[in-house]
Structure formats: structure tokens, C-alpha cells
Amino acid sequence: MASVSPPASGQIARLVAGHRGLEGVRRAVTDPFAYGFGPLLDHCLPNRSRRLAPMLLRSKYLPGRTLTAYYTLAAGNHHYAPRHLALTWSVVPPDLDGLALLEREADVRGLVEPFSRLVAATPDGCLTLLLAPMDPAFPRLVRMSEPGYVTSTAASLAGRRTTSEREVRAVRYRPGQRHVLRVTTTEPIAGGGSAHDPVLGGGGSGAAIVKLYRDGAGTRPIAVAAALDAALTAALPGVRPARSIGYVEADQASWWTAEDGEPVWRRLSDLRAAGLLRRIGQALRVVHEAGPVPADAAWTGPFPSIPRTPPLPRYDAFAEMAATARAAEHIRGLLPQVGARIRDVISQLGDGLAARPAEPATLIHGDLTCENVLVADDELRLIGLDRACIAEPALDLGTFVADLWWWCASLGVDARPAVAAFVDGYGPCDRVRLARAHGLAVLFHLKLAARRIPIHHPEWAHHVIRAVRLAENAVVGGPR
């Protein structure tokens, strides 16, 4: 791996430690050229135009450890799709062993152009640039990004030969964490349907979503989808989960049909939104009615073609409290007083949840948000089953209610009728479940504030403080 002239290591250390404050972190991700990005990009794209600038997608700050920004960069002519890249400032250099071999493999597979290199770092390793498909934690991402490889894999999953080559584009590029790809073609990947699929457009007939995992966990959402498909379609015609195409053991990758439709949050301003939300409530009740799972048992779901499906993980409110505290780590680093208030709210919520014992655990969706429910005409598709687990039903209720409030506030829509319609569709249940769902909704509201408000937003501090104040008021107000 080649190294190039760095910004001073002390500058990176001060930035990552938070000594440059919120403004320093914000400037680093919005103007990375001021913080050492230029020489690294020149190393990977020597003839780049000086006007070429990356588009910021996301940033993640772990105080005292790392600051990572994710971008896309349009390089070359229109023949080349924008390339995803990750730029990381770190106190401790990351382990990038094996990247030279991966880079050579990418070159052999024709995945380097229009760049000359896909990896660059400063001599001390404290500033690194990775361009897709480079990731030492996911070496198979290289072959999964080659059209020829995914074409043969798709044909194998479909059980037939194909003459139409697939196109692969990154949907989510998160080195060391996870990757999501979109595969498109002019003919169906599996099953029936129209033979036409617009590039990067909707339509399950000619497009697939491919998710890569670090272990065998990719089989779990497939098993859940298979079980829910039968239960939901029988109980609620027009409502079903995402449909799996298959799982490739060698790639540790699950293939899913790309579903038509738009996320339900786009319909919250519609006069018919209440009807959709009632059906979502009904669908969630069907999921929860799978029945309690004893503490010493595991729900694996009926999917005989995948005999080694690992048991679903167990989750509880205290794990959600810990996850919220981790998500707010950057807030504690940049706004210490606000971080202390978040810690107090989490503690108060924990006391309230401890006073109301949780119900027996059952199957839950685990990530039921307005983005994970698609609406196609009047039909509903539940997607994002990767976090399905065994837990109390109140976790799903709290998650979706908090997400409804979030989107309604963003759209300027009164959330109360939306929440009422969803709860009405869910149907009568124990008051303890609703009380715990209220506390969990406040908890999830804090996590949303930590994860969804981008740190590079010019009014980040204002929005975070407002979200914390709302959570504090909700704790004082009690269940509603």
C-alpha cells in the first residue's frame, strides 16, 4: 500500500480528540481537502480536475478514536458510475494488511479504472482513503463487484443460463461494517415478470439487492421472510415481507428481489395514510402473534433449503439503552452538557422500564421504521429484516411510534392521528406493553437524534438539543 505526504499527525490527533470542536469536525468532512484529502486523491486519480469534489453521504465520529466520512465521487466520463469512498482520520492506524492483493485482484477484474489506485494512506497511517470495492474485512466484495461474477451467480440462483450481463452498483459502502449492492439487468434475475428494468429504477423483475455479511447471519432474515410470507399473506392479503432469491455461502451474501414501491413516510401527508398505518399495525400484530419463545429455546423459522440457519439473537430494553448510549457518544464528546442530559434521560427510562416487567419474548421485526415499509399501489412490503430477533413486542411498537413522530415532524404533519391509526390497527393489548412502548419510543427518539441528524448539518447542535428537550419532556409527562 502506497503512502503520500500527510497533514501533520498532530493535526489529526487534535481533530479526532475533539480539540478543534464541532466546527473542526464539521469542516473536516465538508471540506476534506483542508484536512489532507487532496494528496491521497491525487495518488489514486493523478489527472483529476481540480474542480472535482466528492459528494458527502454520511459521517461518523468516535471521539478520541476515529472520524470517518463517506462520499461518492464522479470521475471519468459518463461511462463510469460515481465511485463510493471512505476517508478516515484515526489516532491508531487501521490494519490494512492484504489490501495490495485485493487491489491487484480488482485490477485483474477491471474494477480500478478510471482510477490508477484504490488505496492511499499517509506514512503514519492516520489518514486513509479506501475506494470501493476495497475492504480488508470483506475481501469477497471485490469479486462481488464484477459484473461477470454476479452474472454467473445470478444464473446459478435462477437455475438457468443467461446471456444478459448484470450491472453492479454500491448502495451502501461501509468498510469494516457492511455492504449493500444493487444488481440490475434487462431480463428477470429469478421468477417471472417484465423483462425490462430501468437502470437503478424500481422493479423486482430485473433487479436484486445483495447484502454481504461477516458471518452466517445472512441466512436469518431469509428464514424470517419465509415464515412471515406464509403468515402475512394468509392473514392480510396484499401485505408480505421482502422475497429472497437465495443465499450464497461462499460469498456470505443474501440475494433479495428489489421491491417496487416507496417508503411509507412519503405517504404520511396523504389523506389515505391512516388506512395504510392501520394495516401496518395489523401486520405487526401478526408478526407478534407467532407466540412467546421460552428463554431456553430458539426460533429458527422453517426454511429447509438452509439447514444451518443460526438461531435468532435475543434482545431486550437494556440492550437498547446501551445501543442508544453508544449512538450518542459523539454528542457527549462535542456537547458534554447535552451528553450528560442524555445519560440522565436514559437512566430515568431504565428505572421506569424496570418497574414494569417485560412480557415474554416473541419474534419481532427489530427495525420497523417508515423506511422499512414500502407501499406499492395499496400493497405493503416489509423489508429490512436483518435485525429480526427474539424480544418483547413493545420494542417494535416503540420503534415505529418514534419513527412516525420523526417523519411527521419533518413533513409538518400532525403525528397524533398517525400514531392513533397505527395503534388502532395493532389492536387491544396489555397496558404494560403500551406503557413500556412509550418509554422505548422516547429511547428510540434519542437514538434517532444521534444517528439521523448529520454532524455536518449547520444546525446540528440546535436540532440535537431540541430532540433531547423533547425526550426530557416526554419522561416527565409519562405514558400517553
Side-chain angles (χ1 to χ4, degrees):
M1 180 187 66
S3 61
V4 297
S5 299
S9 297
Q11 181 185 22
I12 293 179
R14 289 191 294 274
L15 170 68
V16 177
H19 295 165
R20 295 185 178 275
L22 172 60
E23 189 55 40
V25 171
R26 178 183 295 140
R27 188 185 177 199
V29 300
T30 57
D31 184 17
F33 291 99
Y35 281 82
F37 176 56
L40 272 62
L41 182 58
D42 286 337
H43 179 74
C44 296
L45 193 64
N47 298 319
R48 74 177 175 95
S49 165
R50 290 294 165 180
R51 294 175 294 176
L52 194 63
M55 184 178 74
L56 179 62
L57 300 177
R58 183 176 182 266
S59 57
K60 183 176 183 179
Y61 176 46
L62 299 176
R65 286 176 283 170
T66 61
L67 170 64
T68 303
Y70 303 92
Y71 308 87
T72 57
L73 182 69
N77 56 37
H78 67 278
H79 175 72
Y80 298 103
R83 186 73 64 107
H84 285 247
L85 61 93
L87 184 65
T88 301
W89 297 264
S90 57
V91 173
V92 178
D95 182 6
L96 301 178
D97 290 345
L99 280 179
L101 289 175
L102 286 181
E103 198 172 31
R104 283 199 290 272
E105 180 186 350
D107 189 31
V108 170
R109 293 181 181 273
L111 301 174
V112 174
E113 292 182 352
F115 298 88
S116 59
R117 301 295 300 272
L118 298 179
V119 183
T122 55
D124 61 6
C126 290
L127 178 59
T128 59
L129 171 64
L130 297 181
L131 288 91
M134 291 293 98
D135 185 355
F138 288 82
R140 59 196 178 280
L141 179 63
V142 173
R143 65 174 180 263
M144 289 293 298
S145 301
E146 183 193 355
Y149 182 83
V150 296
T151 296
S152 61
T153 302
S156 177
L157 289 170
R160 59 185 174 81
R161 297 181 60 185
T162 179
T163 57
S164 177
E165 185 170 275
R166 272 67 178 169
E167 180 182 55
V168 187
R169 293 196 180 183
V171 175
R172 183 173 286 114
Y173 175 65
R174 304 283 188 269
Q177 301 174 44
R178 60 181 305 210
H179 299 282
V180 180
L181 306 172
R182 184 180 179 92
V183 178
T184 57
T185 183
T186 55
E187 66 177 32
I189 288 181
S194 169
H196 175 70
D197 174 59
V199 175
L200 291 183
S205 61
I209 299 297
V210 183
K211 298 182 178 183
L212 278 68
Y213 300 82
R214 298 192 66 170
D215 51 34
T219 61
R220 288 196 290 240
I222 295 177
V224 172
L228 293 184
D229 195 18
L232 286 171
T233 53
L236 299 168
V239 181
R240 64 168 175 80
R243 285 182 171 160
S244 170
I245 297 172
Y247 181 80
V248 180
E249 183 81 30
D251 299 327
Q252 296 184 48
S254 61
W255 287 62
W256 300 83
T257 297
E259 299 289 348
D260 290 312
E262 59 184 1
V264 74
W265 64 263
R266 293 184 180 273
R267 301 289 186 93
L268 293 179
S269 302
D270 194 302
L271 294 176
R272 297 175 295 175
L276 290 173
L277 293 169
R278 287 191 188 91
R279 294 177 72 199
I280 295 172
Q282 293 169 346
L284 185 61
R285 193 58 177 265
V286 171
V287 175
H288 293 168
E289 290 298 323
V293 180
D296 58 349
W299 188 96
T300 57
F303 206 78
S305 64
I306 305 179
R308 293 194 300 276
T309 299
L312 288 178
R314 288 181 174 269
Y315 198 71
D316 58 27
F318 298 102
E320 182 65 21
M321 290 167 58
T324 302
R326 289 194 300 273
E329 187 177 356
H330 64 295
I331 299 176
R332 294 195 301 273
L334 297 172
L335 302 173
Q337 293 182 335
V338 178
R341 290 165 60 186
I342 291 175
R343 182 190 59 219
D344 291 343
V345 171
I346 293 175
S347 177
Q348 293 177 60
L349 290 170
D351 292 341
L353 291 168
R356 301 182 180 91
E359 295 179 278
T362 186
L363 172 67
I364 72 168
H365 183 285
D367 194 20
L368 190 70
T369 65
C370 291
E371 291 183 313
N372 280 336
V373 182
L374 301 182
V375 184
D377 295 325
D378 287 327
E379 297 190 341
L380 297 178
R381 305 286 182 259
L382 302 185
I383 64 173
L385 295 169
D386 302 272
R387 296 181 185 172
C389 60
I390 304 302
E392 62 172 307
L395 275 162
D396 268 346
L397 288 169
T399 297
F400 194 73
V401 166
D403 199 60
L404 268 181
W405 277 95
W406 181 277
W407 284 109
C408 286
S410 300
L411 297 168
V413 175
D414 186 355
R416 290 170 295 181
V419 172
F422 167 68
V423 174
D424 179 61
Y426 188 78
C429 64
D430 193 293
R431 291 178 62 86
V432 172
R433 182 182 300 185
L434 294 179
R436 287 181 64 85
H438 171 268
L440 291 165
V442 177
L443 193 64
F444 195 74
H445 169 79
L446 287 175
K447 189 197 284 188
L448 290 178
R451 290 185 173 176
R452 285 192 183 170
I453 305 174
I455 201 169
H456 52 269
H457 192 288
E459 297 184 356
W460 174 80
H462 168 75
H463 289 305
V464 167
I465 292 171
R466 180 177 182 274
V468 173
R469 187 184 307 119
L470 289 173
E472 291 170 332
N473 293 341
V475 170
V476 173
R480 289 189 297 274

